[in-house]
Amino acid sequence: MNRAVSGFSKKSKTEKIEWLAANFLQNSPDSIKILESYWNEDASLQQLHDDFIENTLSNYYLPFGIAPNFLINGEMRVLPMVTEESSVVAAASNAAKFWMERGGFKAEVVSTEKNGQIHFNFFGKEKDIEDFFEAIKPKLRTSIQSIEKNMKARGGGLLELSLVDKSNILDGYFYIHATFETLDAMGANFINSCLEQIAQTFEEEAKNFEPFKQAATYPEVVMSILSNYVPECLVRATVSCKVDELTTKQHEGRYFAEKFVRAIEIAKTETRRAVTHNKGIMNGVDAVVLATGNDFRAVEAGVHAYASRNSYYGSLTHAKIENDVFTFWIELPLAIGTVGGLTSLHPLTKLAFEILQKPNAKQLMQIIAVAGLAQNFAAIRSLVTTGIQKGHMKMHLMNILNQLNATKAEKEKAIEHFKENAVSFSAVVGFLEKIRD
Ligand code: MEV
């Protein structure tokens, strides 16, 4: 069977589904029913979702939950979280409550600079490209006047342009490094539009530069694009208390604090641990990033590059005990927005902003960093005390029950039973078999 298709994007949604079912789905009527069952009955809401991407067939739901009791810089907040992973919201909520009773989270934005590059080839004399760049810099700036107009009026725009010579690592490779302030916008479109215009002006002007003409070597732009590596767009979140205040029914404060700090040191030293450690942080970060309609791939890429900035991959969080005070903090590069993109389109994203009391981008950076810190605190606390499986499997119980098609009454009985018994897939199967008998 020839399964290739042309003109697919021109087909209607129903035609696309029919084509898919005919060519790739074994059980077409059932598969079609699944796709259709996730359509929204409100046609305009469905159309809105259809238009987010190309070739939309249906909607893919993820749970939208909230974690309350986040005291951040003295303000109580509820965090909207979108994730498929059980335990994440519970862990965030527990950590929030724990720290609410110990002074809450402090967060500060360190810097908000974003950046992009115009990567180009140049095989002529270094001095010529340097002279050319200095000579046309003002023109490069003015060439983006119309793109920049609104952003500038609000206090943002292009900050600096500089020439970077990378020809020592790749023959003939140079780039123009451009830095931007994009205020409450993530700024991807703005930055990319500026870069493409600057690149065009750069190439046009090069044609008239005498030394290039004489040597018959002109710079040639390879590509212009923002960078998702944003170490100059940085936020820090911290919790801190006396070690004694960490004492709970489960553990003694100092012993816990020392073990906790040790766990962080391990994640700072050993990549195998650091990756999992940071993954746990991203459980919290991504959940809020997704709920607020931001680009979690951009955040992920930037954060992990930042975790490797010292030539090895290490922990994003830090902890210390000094003068009997335990301090635990995180530093994250975060390029996120509170205006533009999905933030003002998706009804649930708009609601997430309402839940968060309409933060600006700096406040959202702080909230997201706190979500990561809280998540990491909860994970390390479990890991160095009870282990994560006990709590995790309890939260996972509902997934197992759903997989086994348990009824409401069976679920209630199972929840009661597994309060005292260890959860495993086979234990839940056994329990259901017993009560079904
Ligand atoms: C699981 O999603 C996340 C953890 O593995 C994080 C960690 O190990 O720190 C629990």
Side-chain angles (χ1 to χ4, degrees), residues 100-395:
M100 182 184 70
E101 289 156 4
R102 290 162 181 80
F105 297 86
K106 306 274 177 293
E108 55 174 332
V109 170
V110 180
S111 49
T112 56
E113 189 182 289
K114 288 156 188 161
N115 68 92
Q117 289 72 33
I118 296 153
H119 306 271
F120 66 94
N121 295 329
F122 180 68
F123 295 96
K125 277 199 254 152
E126 198 184 321
K127 168 111 181 41
D128 288 350
I129 193 72
E130 282 168 5
D131 290 349
F132 171 65
F133 179 70
E134 282 314 312
I136 53 140
K137 215 153 108 173
K139 267 206 181 135
L140 297 180
R141 280 187 158 277
T142 48
S143 72
I144 56 163
Q145 252 166 7
S146 63
I147 305 172
E148 240 194 335
K149 200 165 156 241
N150 291 342
M151 186 64 86
K152 236 178 161 169
R154 293 199 299 268
L158 174 68
L159 300 173
E160 290 289 335
L161 288 173
S162 52
L163 178 69
V164 181
D165 180 353
K166 286 277 173 176
S167 58
N168 58 333
I169 51 161
L170 181 65
D171 194 23
Y173 171 41
F174 292 77
Y175 65 81
I176 298 173
H177 182 72
T179 55
F180 299 88
E181 171 57 59
T182 61
L183 307 167
D184 284 333
M186 192 256 187
N189 278 331
F190 170 72
I191 294 175
N192 288 334
S193 300
C194 289
L195 292 173
E196 288 189 8
Q197 179 56 58
I198 293 170
Q200 196 184 324
T201 310
F202 178 78
E203 276 193 327
E204 276 165 15
E205 292 295 321
K207 286 183 203 139
N208 304 321
F209 190 64
E210 241 358 272
F212 295 157
K213 276 192 198 163
Q214 279 166 20
T217 44
Y218 296 90
E220 178 202 25
V221 171
V222 179
M223 60 191 161
S224 310
I225 186 77
L226 95 170
S227 172
N228 290 126
Y229 185 48
V230 285
E232 300 85 13
C233 191
L234 203 67
V235 57
R236 186 180 303 130
T238 311
V239 285
S240 165
C241 70
K242 292 245 183 243
V243 279
D244 292 348
E245 292 177 64
L246 292 170
T247 301
T248 63
K249 267 187 244 151
Q250 287 81 33
H251 48 69
E252 191 269 317
R254 176 166 297 276
Y255 176 71
F256 167 74
E258 282 170 0
K259 226 173 156 191
F260 193 102
V261 170
R262 191 71 180 154
I264 304 296
E265 281 167 356
I266 291 170
K268 283 185 167 199
T269 322
E270 169 53 54
T271 301
R272 286 186 191 273
R273 172 58 201 143
V275 172
T276 319
H277 177 95
N278 289 345
K279 185 274 181 189
I281 292 170
M282 299 314 284
N283 279 344
V285 168
D286 282 342
V288 181
V289 169
L290 259 176
T292 56
N294 274 287
D295 181 341
F296 65 91
R297 287 86 53 210
V299 169
E300 282 277 345
V303 162
H304 294 297
Y306 188 71
S308 323
R309 70 194 177 287
N310 298 323
S311 310
Y312 66 92
Y313 186 95
S315 166
L316 293 158
T317 51
H318 314 269
K320 64 177 181 189
I321 304 168
E322 254 173 35
N323 304 323
D324 293 334
V325 174
F326 168 79
T327 309
F328 176 47
W329 72 101
I330 189 167
E331 256 177 34
L332 282 180
L334 285 178
I336 47 92
T338 54
V339 295
L342 212 63
T343 56
S344 47
L345 277 180
H346 197 301
L348 279 172
T349 297
K350 285 198 252 179
L351 188 78
F353 278 108
E354 225 175 298
I355 293 171
L356 286 169
Q357 311 291 294
K358 303 211 167 21
N360 58 28
K362 282 187 180 172
Q363 288 165 325
L364 186 58
M365 284 169 78
Q366 296 172 357
I367 291 165
I368 294 170
V370 164
L373 188 70
Q375 206 70 43
N376 191 226
F377 179 78
I380 303 301
R381 182 162 68 145
S382 294
L383 287 168
V384 301
T385 55
T386 54
I388 60 157
Q389 279 314 93
K390 198 160 160 249
H392 193 78
M393 289 311 284
K394 284 247 176 327
M395 302 300 297

